[in-house]
Amino acid sequence: SGGEEEEEEAGVPIVRRAVSDRKKTAAQLNRSRRAREREQEAAAAREQRKREVQLGRLGPILSQLSKEERGRERRREASEERESARRKRLGKLKYEERRPEVLLSEELGSSLRALPRPAEVDLLADRFDSFKERNLVEVRKRAGKPRRARRQEVTKESHRDRRYNAAGQPLGFDKSPAPVWV
């Protein structure tokens, strides 16, 4: 009788509503509505105070923002300048420096005067390498020697290779080796 459950009907317990779940009176509804409104006003006041504090710090915040903006602008200009200073690569190949010609320890003499003279420096090739390195000329693969087509041996049958009988009638071609034309 004082509990939450009544007798079971067909195996399903019947639960009575708690007293707090019963319909609220008008006074109770008004009281809870006024409490909710007070909570909302307090939250709005807290937000307003927070905004006012931020407005009080407006000067330092603005100076910090302008300083950050100037720094961003400087970095952007510097990156644009670096980008414009860097040349575009002309070809798809990358420049590879030539290995310097050096003497092995067996080739070195006992004195500097005994050193063999270096081969004549190819000034044109050196200058051309400098152009490639500075990206003024496209880097390309070295062209190989052109391949020559193989010679083909061709035998021609001509009127000289024909054999004739005594009457002058052609018998066919001579089977002896014919001249080779290249």
Side-chain angles (χ1 to χ4, degrees), residues 125-166:
D126 191 37
R127 186 73 169 165
F128 196 61
D129 275 351
S130 169
F131 282 162
K132 287 181 193 174
E133 186 177 5
R134 291 182 291 153
N135 214 6
L136 298 174
V137 174
E138 179 181 352
V139 178
R140 294 187 177 179
K141 280 197 297 190
R142 206 177 164 95
K145 291 181 181 176
R147 299 176 111 193
R148 287 189 176 180
R150 284 191 198 162
R151 291 185 176 191
Q152 294 181 345
E153 294 183 0
V154 178
T155 56
K156 287 189 173 182
E157 296 175 349
S158 69
H159 65 282
R160 292 181 204 143
D161 297 335
R162 288 199 180 140
R163 287 189 297 146
Y164 296 94
N165 63 8

Side-chain angles (χ1 to χ4, degrees), residues 73-89:
E73 183 68 26
R74 253 186 271 126
R75 283 192 302 273
R76 188 180 59 77
E77 287 174 0
S79 69
E80 285 177 359
E81 188 175 316
R82 277 194 309 270
E83 191 66 32
S84 66
R86 194 178 75 198
R87 284 206 168 102
K88 259 188 175 176
R89 194 160 77 189

